[in-house]
Amino acid sequence: QRLVSILAKQRLPSPMERAEAGRLLARLGDPRFKQENCGLPDDPDWGFVGVSAGQCRPEDDEPLVDVGRFWIGKWPVTNAQYQLFVADNGYLDSRWWGEASRAGLWDEKGFHAESPEEEVITEKMALPEPYGLPNHPAVGVSWYEAMAYTAWLTDRLRQDARTPPELANLLASGWGMRLPTGNEWVRAARGDTDREFP
């Protein structure tokens, strides 16, 4: 609990110290990603932040484009969060694999990573430390795997009575979890500014 508190209050001055504290916490058992709330953090907005509608410039020499209101995760999806999808037979449930199915990468056997001839993938690629630690970002997944995870998460949050009211209302009105678009990434990073970043 002390490590959780130290990390939450950002009491470690250097990024190297924070990274080492995070790795140690993962080895001890990071309590922040609980199964009962789909692994989302125990904070009032469950780790999401609203981004207001506005404009962004996708590339420095391109015109401004309109971007609607959206929510984005404060942090990357962790291995612990993604593992909940795997443990819930996410790789074997066709409901989550619409994009893969349309691309010919899903059949009754499951998800085929690159072509229908490839063997079926049934879990996230195993990676060594620190990349495979539970509280580290989930890497080594394809776009199709990430989209399946977001479809699963949308369904789970719609069913969960503990989903925060504002998020529950958005989900009930047809909103869902997905990967952000390129323009949404820019809007989230830059907000209303239109300056170049070095």
Side-chain angles (χ1 to χ4, degrees), residues 56 65-68 70-72 143 178-188:
C56 77
V65 296
D66 292 324
V67 178
F70 64 98
W71 288 70
I72 193 165
W143 180 83
R178 61 171 171 75
L179 298 178
T181 67
N183 289 341
E184 287 168 343
W185 271 117
V186 173
R187 176 77 183 148

Side-chain angles (χ1 to χ4, degrees), residues 59-80:
E59 297 289 335
D60 292 331
D61 58 346
E62 293 183 1
L64 289 168
V65 296
D66 292 324
V67 178
R69 178 177 177 239
F70 64 98
W71 288 70
I72 193 165
K74 292 180 187 177
W75 307 282
V77 172
T78 65
N79 289 317

Side-chain angles (χ1 to χ4, degrees), residues 96-97 99-101 103 105 111 113 141-149:
W96 320 133
W97 296 91
E99 286 81 7
S101 181
L105 298 175
F111 172 59
V141 297
S142 69
W143 180 83
Y144 296 105
E145 290 167 288
M147 291 298 286
Y149 169 78

Side-chain angles (χ1 to χ4, degrees), residues 79-95:
N79 289 317
Q81 291 169 301
Y82 192 86
Q83 186 57 37
L84 295 175
F85 163 68
V86 176
D88 197 27
N89 290 320
Y91 274 84
L92 304 175
D93 192 329
S94 62
R95 292 178 294 168

Side-chain angles (χ1 to χ4, degrees), residues 92-149:
L92 304 175
D93 192 329
S94 62
R95 292 178 294 168
W96 320 133
W97 296 91
E99 286 81 7
S101 181
R102 286 186 283 281
L105 298 175
W106 174 270
D107 59 29
E108 68 281 352
K109 296 176 189 169
F111 172 59
H112 305 268
E114 296 182 18
S115 73
E117 294 76 34
E118 294 285 328
E119 75 177 64
V120 173
I121 305 294
T122 59
E123 62 185 353
K124 181 185 169 303
M125 176 192 312
L127 296 169
E129 280 197 27
Y131 309 106
L133 289 172
N135 63 3
H136 276 55
V139 296
V141 297
S142 69
W143 180 83
Y144 296 105
E145 290 167 288
M147 291 298 286
Y149 169 78

